[in-house]
Structure formats: C-alpha cells, structure tokens
Amino acid sequence: MMQYETALNCYEKAAIERPMYAEAYCNMGVIYKNRGDLESAIACYERCLTVSPNFEIAKNNMAIALTDLGTKVKLEGDINQGIAYYKKALYYNWHYADAMYNLGVAYGEMLMFDMAIVFYELAFHFNPHCAEACNNLGVIYKDRDNLDKAVECYQMALSIKPNFSQSLNNLGVVYTVQGKMDAAASMIEKAIVANPTYAEAYNNLGVLYRDAGSISLAVEAYEQCLKIDPDSRNAGQNRLLAMNYINDGSDDKLYEVHRDWGRRFMRLFPQYTSWENIKDPERPLVIGYVSPDYFTHSVSYFIEAPLIYHDYANYKVVVYSAVVKADAKTSRFRDRVLKHGGAWRDIYGIDEKKVASMVRDDKIDILVELTGHTANNKLGMMACRPAPVQVTWIGYPNTTGLPTIDYRISDALADPVDTVQKHVEELVRLPNSFLCYTPSPEAGPVAPTPALSNGFVTFGSFNNLAKITPKVLQVWARILSAVPNSRLIVKCKPFCCDSVRQQFLTTLEKLGLESLRVDLLPLILLNHDHMQAYSLMDISLDTFPYAGTTTTCESLYMGVPCVTMGGSVHAHNVGVSLLKTVGLNNLVATNEDEYVDLAVKLASDVTALSNLRMRLRNLMSKSPLCDGSKFIRGLESAYRKMWRRYCKDDVPSLKQMELAQVPPQQQQVVPEEIAVRITEPKKVISTFAAPIKANGFYLGQCSSAKTSNAEENGALLNQSRNSGKLS
C-alpha cells in the first residue's frame, strides 16, 4: 500500500507540472482501481481521455473499471444502473467480452432471457475462451426445454475447460432429465472429482439415484451434500421427499426430521405478526393459491377444479404462479381466473420475501401452497407468514414441518381420524376425497381390454421408479407367478438407459419372473400418447408404501382398474382415498396377501374385466372424485371454518411456533425492493433438482485468453477479470 501511495503522489505531482500528461492520469486510475476506489479510477481515466481521446490503454482500462462498477452497484441492488455501466463500458471498448458477459448475467437475473442469449453469444464471439458464457447459455436452453442445444453449449464449455465442474454437473442434469442415467452419473462424478466440495453435485447425484430407484443411495448423497453445505435447501428438501418412498410408518422419525427442518428453515425468514384483514367471520374471502405447477404437470389436474368452480363473489381467487415455462394449460388457467374476476401474479424468479410482500398487498385471507417439498416450492414465502391463515394441500404426501402453516387438507380415508401419523399442521378433512381430478382433454377414447385379443392378461404400472421398491417387485412377481402367461408392462423415464433396464429385469429374474414376460417403456413425451399407452394393460398395480396419485387417476379414466394397498400413513392411503371415492372398495387391500389375491381374482375373469373397463370412465366421471362443483362446496366450507376460527383468535400456527420456541418477531417484515433473481432452488422434488445454486448459472468471471494481467477477487461475483494496464 505504501508503494501505491508513493506512486500516486508522484503521478499527482507530474500531472500538476504537466496538465497534458495523459499517461499520469491513466496510471493514477490504475492505482485507484487496484485500491478498490472505482469512482476515483473512472474520474482519472476521464481526465486522461479528455487530454488524449484516442489513448487506447486508457479506453480499455475505463471499460474494465466501468464493468467492475456495474457489478458492484448491481450486487448492491441497482441492477438497472449496473446494466448502464456495462453498456457504457462497451462505448469505450466495443469488443470487451467481460462487459458483454456481465450484461448476459444481468439480463438473465431480470428474466430477459432473449437479451441474455444475445450478450452471452457476443461474449463468446469476442472471447472464444469464455466457457462460462457457454455454460450459462446451456442453462437458459435447458430451462426452455431445448435439451439438445443445452448439451451442445455444455460440451462447448467443456471443450474449453475440461474440468469445469459447473458444466460437468449441468450436463449430468440434462442427461438425468433425458433418462440417460449412465451418462449422467459419469458427468456428475467427474464434477465431484474436479471439485470435491461441490455440494450441489452431490445433491444432483442423489436425484439421479432417486430416479433410478436407489433411495438409500439417494439419501446418502443428499446427506453428503448437507455435510458440505448444511444450508443446502435443495438437498435438505430432497432428503425429506426421498424418505417418503421407504417410510413404513412404524415410528415418528420422518415426522421428526420434517419438524426439525421446518424449525431451522423458519429462522431464515422474519415473520409478519399482524394483518390488516378485517376479522368478519362471514365476509367474502380472498384465497391465494401459490404453485409452480400451473402447466401440464401432475398437480395441475387437481388444481383446475378450484380455479373453475370457486364462488368468486365470496371466495375471490388470486393465483401466484411460479411456472418456469408456461404452456397452453397455463394460458387456459390464467384466462379462466381472470374471466371470473380473480387475479394472476407471475412470480417466477422473484425473491420469496418480495412475494410475501405481494401477498400482503393483495390482502390474502387464506394462502394455500400446493407444492410442499417438491420442485420450485415457495415455502420460504410461507415461512414469512404473510397471510393470517396458511394452508398446505395436494403437492406433498406429508407434513411440511413448517410451524407457520396452520392447516393441511386431507380426508378421512387418506388420514383416518385415528391415525397415528403426526403433522406440524392441523389436519382438515374434506367430506369425500381431498382431491378432485379433472381429466386431460387429450386422453382419447378407452381402448378394449387387450386380454380379449392377446389371450393373456397384462399387468402394469406407470409410476416412477422410485416408488417401485424391491418389496413391490417381490409382490408383483407373486402375482404374475399365480396368473399363467400373464405379462408385466412398466413405463418410466430411466428405462431409456440400458443399465437401468437390465438391473430391473435382473431383479425380477431373481424373484422368479422371466424377463421375456416383462416390457419396459421409456418416457412418452406427448400426453395423448402417454394416455393411450394404457391400452396396453388390463390391470394397473399401485405401488407401496408410497402410492400413486395422478397415475392412478389416469389409469381409472382410461378404463384400467387399479389394485392398491392401504397402510398407516397418508402416502400409503392416497390410492385408498381415490378408489373408494370412485366406488371401487373391492380393489383396496389391507396387506400383501390381499393385494395379490385381488389382482389374481381380477385377472381370472376377462369378461368381467372387459365390462368394468367399458364402464369405468363413466363411473369415475360421475363420482365425487370428478364432481368439481360439489367438491368446491366442501372446500369452501373448510375455508370458512378456518376463517371463523381465525376471527376468534384460534390460530394453530401460533401454537406450533410456541412449541418450536421461536416466538414471532415483534417487528414486521420491512418489504425490500429485491431484484428479480434466478437463484431459486428447483429441487426438490418431483422433477429434477436445480443444477447448482444459482440455477446452474456460473456467476464468476469470464475466462480470458490472457492470464498475465488477470486478477482474482472472490469478494465480488460477476466482476470482470482483467485489471487495468499500466502504461
């Protein structure tokens, strides 16, 4: 520092003696820049360029300083001013790749992805060594479902930096989405070798194991991630979700890990403690629904009925949509909500505290989250407690563990009144099923029973592989052994991978079932084709202990009866709720032997099976499971009871927060103007987790072809890498 001071004094004296000494001003700027005083550095470069407008070194240094200043102000919260500085940098050096790269990052944070693509491509054009730009382009294309282009970008990044851990990890993410499990494992393992402390790579390895059906390995990988990064939201929530697949309900361990997670997570957010909502028990209510799944997604088939059938005069609907990629279903939902006088808020990429502030501004009376610990959830917003009454419903088969949520919606079949399962939330049981199914208009007609033409019965399951545990396969093998010439068809994403297919078939062969009797189908992309694939099976076999939900409804709607088995906790009993609501009590087993007997009996009479198939859709459509108007009356009645209790100061979450020994903060949340970010965890999850913290984006410096004048400064992300040049 003393050398800097001495040099600066000398340059200042030189400038006083020779006011036209451009080099002195330039070198003063470099010293100020290296001391972190960017404003003074820029002022010196401006004086230099006033004296010598074509001084190229000063112009380059000005571009570097402006880019650094842009990153500084952006991180302080003024993203628009940051962009202005980046653009000004390009005025001084129109081919400065770092400024272009940082513009790409900034526009990505503002969700202006078309602009981000332009500047990432420019950055790569002017700096072919900028692997980071290629990586970030890959993330954008991946989020847009252009997986081939994403793979191309990640591979380009790796051709520049073979050990670039983010791109290795992100390529593994895409391969996992595509079901290419071997290739995915190879990439993610290479990412860990390149960076052994890369926590999110372990998280993604866990998701890979989960998708391949190896739940114990998945949990181990999530726990390894948490050892490296105890605050990893992705891994923490993925671990909770995974444990549902193997929970036999014999103890309270799963409840305890959810409860402990919720208490820790709540401490990360300040809570509101008072609301301006008028405590009138009979007034019209404002109901908020928050979800990332308002598109062609499993949850969407159960949220459609409330959006359509609510009495908007007395239960106004406000939708908070965190959809990553909208589709035609998103547009249909939005149009229907707006047509009925409701409101639609797009919240993807917005900080959860900011969303909580939006909920406050909308004066939501009852806020309902539909995701639980699955992908792109907004439990952070729920932790802020922005609404006086908060509810969880549909998207997750267990307690959230979050003390700020008052109620969990269920029914007396999924959660009997004498259940021993514990929840942080208070259970509210609807009159019939806790679900109301709206079939896909793309389903197509019910096909004839294939056994009539095949001469044999085909059992099947389209549940994800994580639900098909070794115990499930053991029971299924018993069924096929008891039904001569019968076959099994199973469809799930990982079956496009040869090793996963072989492992699955080998397991069945060890159980005495020849692989020639088993058909394995990979993911079918088009919904119509997926639904018509039910024409290949006669009888659907539900999974246990984690039962199917959407797959069971789809099976019934396509005329395929489903055999299920109840248990001691909610995840075991969803199939029980669905089948009994439709009137198929005779297909519900209470133990493995009953399950086998029911399946065998159903297969023994093909004529009866055919008759049931032909009338099953009508039976289902006329049942409470598909009666949206009747369902909504029960739901609105439940909401009204919740509100009346609130008006009497009966608030379940307050009791839980006291039990958690974390009293609500006395001071309300002060709404902050937080820039829209793309750092929201996606994990978690019924779909694949976020590739890395920041949604797969590399937020560091852009690689430079030259290293002689490069400097590292870990304090600032996105900063340009080159220091100024001394003339």
Side-chain angles (χ1 to χ4, degrees), residues 247 252 397-399 414-415 419-423 427 568-571:
N247 176 41
D252 295 333
N398 211 318
T399 179
D415 288 287
T419 181
V420 296
Q421 184 180 9
K422 295 180 179 178
H423 300 83
L427 287 183
S568 59
V569 300
H570 178 95

Side-chain angles (χ1 to χ4, degrees), residues 561-600:
C562 179
V563 177
T564 192
M565 181 171 65
S568 59
V569 300
H570 178 95
H572 303 177
N573 292 324
V574 174
V576 176
S577 174
L578 296 172
L579 290 173
K580 288 191 174 182
T581 301
V582 172
L584 298 173
N585 300 46
N586 60 317
L587 298 183
V588 176
T590 58
N591 56 56
E592 292 176 14
D593 289 340
E594 279 188 21
Y595 182 95
V596 172
D597 290 343
L598 287 176
V600 172

Side-chain angles (χ1 to χ4, degrees), residues 383-638:
C384 294
R385 207 161 161 255
V389 178
Q390 301 201 147
V391 182
T392 182
W393 179 37
I394 296 180
Y396 190 68
N398 211 318
T399 179
T400 62
L402 198 57
T404 56
I405 297 180
D406 300 283
Y407 302 102
R408 181 171 182 272
I409 293 176
S410 185
D411 63 52
L413 293 171
D415 288 287
V417 292
D418 60 350
T419 181
V420 296
Q421 184 180 9
K422 295 180 179 178
H423 300 83
V424 168
E425 310 87 359
E426 183 175 316
L427 287 183
V428 171
R429 295 174 177 87
L430 298 185
N432 294 294
S433 176
F434 73 102
L435 297 170
C436 184
Y437 178 67
T438 302
S440 169
E442 302 169 348
V446 173
T449 302
L452 292 174
S453 56
N454 289 338
F456 54 82
V457 171
T458 302
F459 297 95
S461 172
F462 290 172
N463 279 290
N464 69 63
L465 200 53
K467 294 183 179 181
I468 306 175
T469 64
K471 173 60 73 174
V472 169
L473 291 180
Q474 182 180 341
V475 173
W476 288 359
R478 286 176 58 191
I479 293 171
L480 269 79
S481 296
V483 181
N485 301 318
S486 61
R487 297 185 63 81
L488 176 67
I489 182 169
V490 184
K491 179 179 75 67
C492 61
K493 179 176 62 180
F495 284 152
C496 67
C497 177
D498 289 340
S499 66
V500 175
R501 292 167 62 92
Q502 190 56 51
Q503 181 179 353
F504 190 86
L505 293 173
T506 299
T507 301
L508 285 173
E509 286 179 340
K510 290 178 180 178
L511 295 170
L513 183 61
E514 306 95 318
S515 61
L516 292 176
R517 296 176 65 188
V518 182
D519 294 307
L520 304 180
L521 301 180
L523 182 69
I524 298 175
L525 294 178
L526 297 180
N527 192 48
H528 170 79
D529 296 343
H530 159 71
M531 296 296 283
Q532 285 299 305
Y534 281 98
S535 66
L536 301 173
M537 76 169 77
D538 297 287
I539 300 169
S540 175
L541 299 176
D542 199 4
T543 51
F544 55 87
Y546 195 152
T549 305
T550 309
T551 47
T552 300
C553 290
E554 290 174 342
S555 174
L556 298 178
Y557 191 71
M558 297 309 295
V560 182
C562 179
V563 177
T564 192
M565 181 171 65
S568 59
V569 300
H570 178 95
H572 303 177
N573 292 324
V574 174
V576 176
S577 174
L578 296 172
L579 290 173
K580 288 191 174 182
T581 301
V582 172
L584 298 173
N585 300 46
N586 60 317
L587 298 183
V588 176
T590 58
N591 56 56
E592 292 176 14
D593 289 340
E594 279 188 21
Y595 182 95
V596 172
D597 290 343
L598 287 176
V600 172
K601 181 180 178 181
L602 202 58
S604 66
D605 189 341
V606 173
T607 301
L609 192 60
S610 176
N611 291 335
L612 177 59
R613 189 184 189 98
M614 290 299 103
R615 64 185 179 87
L616 190 49
R617 176 177 289 189
N618 186 57
L619 180 68
M620 180 185 187
S621 299
K622 291 183 178 180
S623 75
L625 186 61
C626 294
D627 189 342
S629 59
K630 182 178 180 180
F631 176 85
I632 212 66
R633 289 196 295 272
L635 182 65
E636 289 176 347
S637 175

